Amino acid sequence: MFLAGTSAFLVGQRKSRKELSWFLLTRGLWLIILELTVVNFAWFFNIHFTAIFLVVIWALGLGMMIMSALIHLPFRLLLVIGLLIVAGHNLLDNVHVPGEGIGAILWAELHERRLFQINGYAVGTAYPILPWLGIMITGYCFGSFYRKQVNPVTRKKTLQYIGIGACFLFIVIRAINVYGDPSPWTQQASGTLTVLSFLNLTKYPPSLLYALMTLGPAILLLSVTEDIKGKFLNALAAIGRVPMFFYILHIYFIHLGAMLAITLTGHQWSDMILSSWPWTQPQLKGYGFSLGATYLIWLGLILLLYPLCAWYDKYKSSHKDKWWLSYL
């Protein structure tokens, strides 16, 4: 979300404001269509589409559509709005709209993860848009550090200050244990469990502390990796330049792999045709792998998809005249 905002700013360096606004509007609409069709089917393999979960691609798309209007605001005002949303949205944690009417649905899409039953369809607001929009706006403003006129040395120092500051704020606010996340940390039976409680934050929607804990170290990482070269980083960059391609393929590969694995472990492949998330399905009780095996599958999946991503990255870079590639 953060880097989607940054990317939007960078695209705006070579487009007019009007062109960028149109690009964000159409790209956002396209992502929403993908979420409800191609991505939804990848998760559930259910041709009836009885489960409609509005997750990350939906939130990215909706965020871009809103950003298509917000980018016309003065830069400083936009930065203030983004920071206020990220820092202040947890004030809404105790606001709820009961029932399953349009008001409840709209509020859930704005700030509360909920599951609705609508005419036989399960509709889940997994990525409420308000806090994610705040993160996207701050990411957009963050892109200003990557303008050509910005000195790289100055940028790295600024990124280090921001990253360290975010990490420091996280520790202080979390230690106070009054605001920043709907789940306070508690003293546990051991020091390790207490630390885990301290780090156990809310992602749905992302709390202020969740944003500080994740974006702070990520910005620090950006500050120290800018000049690093090598084959390994080039390989990561090849995947990073085609994120939508990787994202869609990896869900299909995982789901097909799960169908094979479930057959080999004595279940029916049809058990992986889902009406909701796998861990909620009674027919999958007892199915699964150890954490170590899961990491091996994760690594194997990346190695399997890398050649395809490298090919598509090369194809995109050598066919910049094909405008539609920017939507994939």
Side-chain angles (χ1 to χ4, degrees), residues 177-219:
N177 212 21
V178 172
Y179 178 77
D181 195 278
S183 300
W185 66 276
T186 57
Q187 192 75 31
Q188 302 290 314
S190 69
T192 299
L193 291 177
T194 300
V195 170
L196 291 177
S197 176
F198 194 86
L199 298 175
N200 185 25
L201 302 172
T202 304
K203 179 185 176 183
Y204 304 101
S207 66
L208 165 62
L209 289 169
Y210 180 90
L212 290 174
M213 185 183 75
T214 53
L215 292 177
I219 291 171

Side-chain angles (χ1 to χ4, degrees), residues 24 63-71 78 133 136-137 140:
L24 289 173
M64 287 180 184
M65 294 179 72
I66 298 172
M67 285 293 297
S68 71
L70 293 181
I71 62 169
L78 193 56
L133 179 63
M136 186 178 284
I137 292 171
Y140 178 85

